[in-house]
Amino acid sequence: MDFASSEALPPGVPLVKGTATSTKIVVAGGFGVGKTTFVRSVSEIPPLTTEAVMTEASVGVDDVTAVPAKTSTTVAMDFGRISLESDLVLYLFGTPGQGRFWFMWDDLVRGAVGAVVLADTRRLADSFPALDYFEGSGLPFVVAVNQFDGAPVYSPQAVRDSLAVPDRVPVLLCDARRRDSVVEVLTTLVEHALAEEPAASYA
C-alpha cells in the first residue's frame, strides 16, 4: 500500500465493515519542531518513521541552533494510527520539515481532511511555509504550539498575532510528548474540519 499517495476513505465508509470510519490527518511544521514525537506519543501501532542520522552533509543546511541535541531527522514521513472514538480512526502522516523535502508534501496531503501545524516559540518563522501551504490549499488546519522545556511561553493569542493566523483557525498549546495533549489537538482539528465548508477541503 502506498501510504503517501493513498486517498482517505470517504466519510461513512468503514475501515473494517461495521466498526470504524478512517480519516487521514497531516502533521506539519518546521525542522525539529516535534512532528515525529507527536505521532509516536499517540500511535496505537508501532509508528512507521523514516528517520536518518544527521551527517556532516547537513551542516549549514539544517539549523540545529534551537535543537542542538538532535541527531536524526525525518527524510520522508512518519505514520501512525489512533482511534479517537470506537467509530473513528485517524491515520497520522508527519511531513519532513526541511525545505529540500517539501516536494513530497502534495503526495502526503492528498486525501487528508485536516492538518496540524506544529510551532516552536523559539523559531516561529519556521511555521510560515506550512501555514502558507495549507492556507493556499484550503485544507482545514489548527496551530499547535509545542511547549519545549526552556522555550519562551506565550499565550495562544500572542502566537496567533505573531503568525497572523486567521480568527477561524484554532491555536492551542500542547506538549507533543504527552498523549492526552496530542489527543486534545487532534480532537480540536477534527471538530474544526467538520465545521469548515465542504468546498474548503483539499482534493
Side-chain angles (χ1 to χ4, degrees), residues 3-8 24 26 93 104-113 133 139 202-203:
F3 290 117
S5 61
S6 63
E7 296 287 348
K24 182 178 182 180
V26 174
F93 290 75
M104 302 178 61
W105 281 29
D106 287 343
D107 285 336
L108 288 172
V109 170
R110 189 174 297 118
V113 300
Y133 183 92
L139 185 71
Y202 185 81

Side-chain angles (χ1 to χ4, degrees), residues 4-197:
S5 61
S6 63
E7 296 287 348
L9 294 177
V13 177
L15 176 66
V16 177
K17 188 174 181 180
T19 59
T21 297
S22 65
T23 290
K24 182 178 182 180
I25 300 295
V26 174
V27 183
F31 170 70
V33 78
K35 299 179 293 294
T36 299
T37 300
F38 186 97
V39 173
R40 280 178 174 166
S41 67
V42 294
S43 184
E44 301 163 341
I45 60 174
L48 169 65
T49 61
T50 55
E51 287 203 319
V53 175
M54 296 176 64
T55 65
E56 292 183 0
S58 68
V59 176
V61 178
D62 298 325
D63 183 5
V64 297
T65 304
V67 284
K70 189 171 179 61
T71 58
S72 63
T73 184
T74 299
V75 295
M77 68 172 185
D78 300 310
F79 173 76
R81 184 190 72 195
I82 176 177
S83 300
L84 279 188
E85 300 290 346
S86 60
D87 59 350
L88 178 60
V89 176
L90 303 184
Y91 286 104
L92 308 178
F93 290 75
T95 68
Q98 302 95 314
R100 63 184 182 278
F101 296 128
W102 288 347
F103 69 92
M104 302 178 61
W105 281 29
D106 287 343
D107 285 336
L108 288 172
V109 170
R110 189 174 297 118
V113 300
V116 174
V117 176
L118 280 179
D120 180 348
T121 58
R122 297 168 297 182
R123 47 209 172 99
L124 282 176
D126 289 358
S127 305
F128 284 123
L131 292 173
D132 291 344
Y133 183 92
F134 295 122
E135 278 284 355
S137 72
L139 185 71
F141 67 94
V142 301
V143 177
V145 182
N146 193 9
Q147 297 181 290
F148 286 89
D149 293 337
V153 178
Y154 300 106
S155 69
Q157 186 59 50
V159 173
R160 180 187 300 280
D161 294 342
S162 180
L163 294 176
V165 176
D167 289 340
R168 73 176 190 281
V169 176
V171 177
L172 58 164
L173 305 180
C174 80
D175 185 336
R177 300 165 297 185
R178 291 176 43 199
R179 187 180 191 280
D180 61 330
S181 184
V182 173
V183 167
E184 180 183 357
V185 172
L186 293 173
T187 300
T188 300
L189 172 61
V190 170
E191 292 173 346
H192 174 59
L194 288 173
E196 288 282 89
E197 293 292 331

